[in-house]
Structures are given as C-alpha cells and as structure tokens.
Amino acid sequence: MTFAELTREEFLRYSRHLILPQVGVEGQQKLKASRVLVVGMGGLGSPAAMYLAAAGVGKLGIVDHDVVHEANLQRQILHGTAAVGMSKLRSAGARLHDLNPHIDIAPHDGQLTSANALDVFRGYDIVVDGSDNFPTRYLVNDACVLVGIPYVYGAIFRFDGQVSVFAAPEGPCYRCLFRDPPPPGVVPSCDEAGVLGVLPGVIGSLQALEAIKWVTGAGRSLAGRLLVFNALTSEFRELQLRRDSECPVCGGAPTVTHLIDYEAFCGATPPAAGADMEVSVEELAEALQSDAAPLVLDVREPLEWRICHIEPSVLMPLGTLEGRIGELDRGRDIVTVCHHGIRSLRAVERLRAAGLPRVRSLRGGVEQWAQRIDSTMPRY
C-alpha cells in the first residue's frame, strides 16, 4: 500500500488519531490510502459508513438500491426526515460528503447480485457487510473469499447483535460457522420481529472499529472470534471460531468456486402467486361489505396485530397455523393477511395443502390496505 501524504487540513482534522501511538501519522496515511466498501446504507451501514468517513478512509464505497422510508428513521441515522422518498445512496452520499469532503465517496447504485458482486468488490481492501438478509450475507461471504479480501460481519435481531471478521487469511469464513441457511420463515426479519433502534448503532460502530483496526494494523482483530452483544443486559460474550477444513468455500477442496443463486440457496424466493392465489385490497374491501364476507385470517405476530389490523379479522400467526387448521371453516372463503403479502402467500400454500381450497392471500398486505383503503391505519 502506498502511503498518501496528509494535507495541512487533514493534520488538523485527524489530530486525535495522530497522537495515538497505535495510529499516528503512519496509521492515518494507511487510512487515507485504504479502500473500504460498505454494503447497505441501513441500520448497520449508517454508523459504519459515518465513522469510516470521519476516520478518513481514502475511498469509501457504498452499495444500496432502496429508498428512505419513514420507518427507517428510528435506527438509520444517515438519513433524516427530509430524505424520505429519496434514494438511500443519494441521501448517504450527501451526508458522508458533508461529514468529510476530503474522501472519495463511490456510490454503487443497484442491488448487489451474483452477476455484479465480484466486479464491485475488486479494487477494495475490505468489505463491511451491513446487509439484513441471509442471501446477501452468503453472497458477500463467497464473493470476498473468491476475490481474496476480508469482510466485517454484523447482524442484529431485536436486542441481540453479532460482530466478526470473516474471510481473513487463515481465518474462518461465514460458511465455516453457518454452512447452511436456516429454513425459510424460521428467523423473522426486522420488519417482522423488530429491533431496538440503538442496537445497530452499537454493532455498526464495532464494524467500523474492526475495519479501521484492520487497515491500520492496530490492536487485535476479531478474525477467529465472534463477539455477541445483548442490549437488554449490556453484556458481551466471545466465542472462538476456527476455519473448517471441509468448508465448501474456503476449505481445502472447495466446491463453491463461483457465485450462485443465493435467493434460491436460502429459500428466500417468494412463493409464486398464481392467478387464483391473491386478492387485491379493493376486492377484499368490496367483499367485506357483502352478505357472504370472507374470513380475514391475519398470520402476523401478536405485536404486529396490536399496531394495526383489518376489521373484522382473526389472528392466527403463521407459526401456529398447522396446529389450528381445525378451527377454520372449510366451506368458507378465507383471505390470509400479513404485512406485505409474503407470509400470507406461504399460509395459502399450507392451507391448500391441508385441504382448504377456498383460500387466497391479500396482495400487498396491510401496508397496501393502509395506502389504498384506510389512510387512518398506522403503518410500520
């Protein structure tokens, strides 16, 4: 790595780094010469990108394809109220440039996929993974192993967080710890399970810390260790990890030598909605006014139900469905409902397989109902 000279302005800006023996001028020059990619400008990517920008990484790549939603603002501190509806890349780029105009912000617009990940990752020294889903985590892991660069892993769920450094030389990769993804629907997303707003701030900051340590050579990396944090007890635990010699990606005889379809690998592809499997919110609103109104079966979790629900409806969470099928009238039309219409489609599949043919899913879920039918309904 060629060290870049610091300007007079940079000496002042990074002065608190320069007087640290573990960083100093040489460490700051390493940061200026470094190229760090952050995947996702959401809960984890927000603090990670901000602290990396503030630290003075020379090139900060940012990846996202989403827009800012009001429900993001409880935890995604890169974005403000004025950015709602704006591209996350545009919002993040403006905030990061304002935070540090001395660095190069490199936006990568669009979704990270098997087709583009290797090209995006090449040219970076380390990747910080701020994604929130299993297909992207496996994609980031495999791409980093194939390109030969480490990445800083972070994950959050309700009040719990994890951090590690994977794909480091001689260290384990993500698949050494999690060879196979969990079955679809077993681990709820943040949309379904919730997350304490400050938790991604803690975990994302630790991710930035690990990237900065890796670049500067300061301290001890989390490679080979998994740091687990519980926000409710404010306790950290550490688990030792080791490389799996039979890992399909980084083991001695790898079987994964190119990027695959990670949506299919994780079973994350939404169920195919046939023409007879869904009903629109307008159709449901009209049907509820008729004498033969369908049963609205809400398959979300109880806490989601308390936020909002369609009247009248019956709560039967997806995880309890198989044990409660006997409660349903097989001769009645049923419309399953969830937040966005994914879980409700899975419910349709299960109910039809159990012998209830008159079941359809509400397309777009309660989110679309709130947008098109009942504007007073709370959204989340």
Side-chain angles (χ1 to χ4, degrees):
M1 181 183 293
T2 302
F3 293 166
E5 293 296 325
L6 303 179
T7 65
R8 180 178 179 276
E9 291 82 4
E10 288 171 329
F11 271 104
L12 178 60
R13 177 178 286 264
Y14 308 125
S15 59
R16 300 306 185 271
H17 275 177
L18 304 181
I19 58 179
L20 290 172
Q22 295 87 347
V23 181
V25 173
E26 182 176 322
Q28 193 62 49
Q29 289 176 322
K30 289 179 179 179
L31 284 168
K32 184 173 181 177
S34 69
R35 300 157 300 177
V36 182
L37 180 70
V38 181
V39 177
M41 294 293 100
L44 294 173
S46 287
M50 291 177 73
Y51 275 112
L52 289 167
V57 300
K59 178 180 178 180
L60 181 59
I62 55 176
V63 181
D64 210 297
H65 68 285
D66 201 2
V67 299
V68 179
H69 299 281
E70 194 167 4
N72 300 150
L73 303 182
Q74 162 253 15
R75 65 199 177 280
Q76 299 182 15
I77 59 172
L78 256 177
H79 317 292
T81 303
V84 171
M86 183 186 298
S87 146
K88 284 187 178 179
L89 274 192
R90 180 183 168 195
S91 171
R95 177 70 182 96
L96 296 171
H97 178 75
D98 178 65
L99 182 60
N100 192 347
H102 299 280
I103 68 173
D104 176 21
I105 308 295
H108 297 272
D109 195 4
Q111 187 169 4
L112 192 69
T113 68
S114 299
N116 62 23
L118 295 179
D119 290 335
V120 171
F121 285 16
R122 290 189 180 101
Y124 286 97
D125 305 309
I126 189 169
V127 174
V128 174
D129 181 16
S131 63
D132 62 355
N133 61 85
F134 289 103
T136 304
R137 287 174 188 154
Y138 281 97
L139 169 61
V140 169
N141 176 80
D142 295 0
C144 283
V145 171
L146 293 176
V147 172
I149 57 175
Y151 79 97
V152 186
Y153 158 78
I156 52 175
F157 180 74
R158 291 180 173 160
F159 298 94
D160 298 308
Q162 300 178 349
V163 189
S164 190
V165 176
F166 288 126
E170 308 305 320
C173 77
Y174 181 73
R175 286 208 200 214
C176 293
L177 181 61
F178 303 108
R179 177 170 293 200
D180 299 308
V186 170
V187 180
S189 67
C190 285
D191 282 352
E192 300 167 10
V195 62
L196 185 68
V198 73
L199 177 63
V202 175
I203 302 302
S205 296
L206 287 171
Q207 288 183 276
L209 171 64
E210 288 302 309
I212 291 168
K213 284 162 52 183
W214 185 269
V215 169
T216 61
R220 179 187 175 200
S221 166
L222 275 176
R225 298 182 291 153
L226 179 70
L227 191 64
V228 180
F229 175 63
N230 184 309
L232 286 178
T233 62
S234 295
E235 292 178 312
F236 285 94
R237 293 185 298 116
E238 182 181 303
L239 304 176
Q240 297 297 315
L241 307 176
R242 64 177 58 183
R243 190 170 186 176
D244 182 358
S245 61
E246 297 182 358
C247 174
V249 181
C250 73
T255 56
V256 178
T257 56
H258 62 277
L259 299 183
I260 62 175
D261 182 341
Y262 292 91
E263 295 285 338
F265 173 67
C266 295
T269 305
D276 66 333
M277 292 185 68
E278 290 185 306
V279 59
S280 70
V281 291
E282 291 83 6
E283 289 170 329
L284 177 59
E286 182 178 352
L288 288 176
Q289 302 302 315
S290 70
D291 294 335
L295 170 67
V296 179
L297 189 67
D298 197 315
V299 299
R300 297 174 299 153
E301 295 301 308
L303 287 174
E304 294 178 273
W305 164 274
R306 291 184 62 184
I307 296 172
C308 64
H309 58 269
I310 297 171
E311 291 286 3
S313 58
V314 173
L315 176 65
M316 196 175 288
L318 186 62
T320 70
L321 208 55
E322 277 79 359
R324 300 181 62 185
I325 288 177
E327 301 175 26
L328 301 175
D329 183 352
R330 294 174 181 268
R332 186 178 179 184
D333 289 334
I334 299 173
V335 176
T336 58
V337 176
C338 68
H339 191 190
H340 292 292
I342 305 300
R343 283 173 284 173
S344 57
L345 273 173
R346 298 195 188 282
V348 169
E349 290 181 334
R350 297 181 190 182
L351 292 174
R352 289 191 176 186
L356 282 78
R358 298 170 61 178
V359 185
R360 290 185 292 172
S361 166
L362 182 64
R363 187 184 306 116
V366 293
E367 175 67 17
Q368 199 160 114
W369 183 271
Q371 292 180 24
R372 296 186 182 180
I373 305 299
D374 183 1
S375 61
T376 67
M377 175 181 280
R379 296 168 61 189
Y380 66 101

